[in-house]
Amino acid sequence: MPSNIPAARARLEALCATHHTPYTVRQELKKALAEMRRVRTKPLCAADPNVQPMTAELAGEVREFASANPLWSNMRLARKFRVNPGRVSEAIAGLR
């Protein structure tokens, strides 16, 4: 059964609103509801502004260099070509 957080919140809020629910239980439900709130924060890290986009020509260069230097990791290749390591992987696999 998939989760449905909004529906669960609504049910808990309805329980909090009834006077038949004991005070201590209502307080615990309110604490649980507060913990269910999603807090948006800024990302801890952002993409490097010096990273350049992967072009078809650059992908070809990456593939050639990678085949000539098979011991280089994708991370090392990414630093050399100033691109994202995921794009290096895609270039080597022929997806770019």
Side-chain angles (χ1 to χ4, degrees):
M1 178 168 120
S3 68
N4 188 342
I5 300 296
R9 284 191 58 78
R11 289 176 65 188
L12 290 173
E13 288 168 350
L15 283 172
C16 282
T18 64
H19 295 292
H20 303 297
T21 306
Y23 176 78
T24 55
V25 174
R26 277 186 281 160
Q27 293 305 104
E28 286 302 314
L29 288 173
K30 287 179 182 179
K31 286 180 187 175
L33 285 165
E35 290 175 2
M36 292 172 73
R37 291 252 181 248
R38 186 174 194 182
V39 178
R40 299 221 178 234
T41 58
K42 290 185 178 181
L44 296 176
C45 60
D48 185 357
N50 298 322
V51 172
Q52 60 182 337
M54 179 64 79
T55 62
E57 295 81 21
L58 186 56
E61 289 178 38
V62 169
R63 275 192 294 276
E64 287 176 24
F65 191 87
S67 64
N69 299 282
L71 298 179
W72 278 44
S73 68
N74 286 1
M75 184 63 80
R76 190 172 176 193
L77 290 167
R79 281 194 298 266
K80 175 180 176 25
F81 289 98
R82 294 182 27 239
V83 295
N84 182 292
R87 302 296 84 84
V88 169
S89 178
E90 291 174 353
I92 291 171
L95 301 176
R96 286 252 171 203

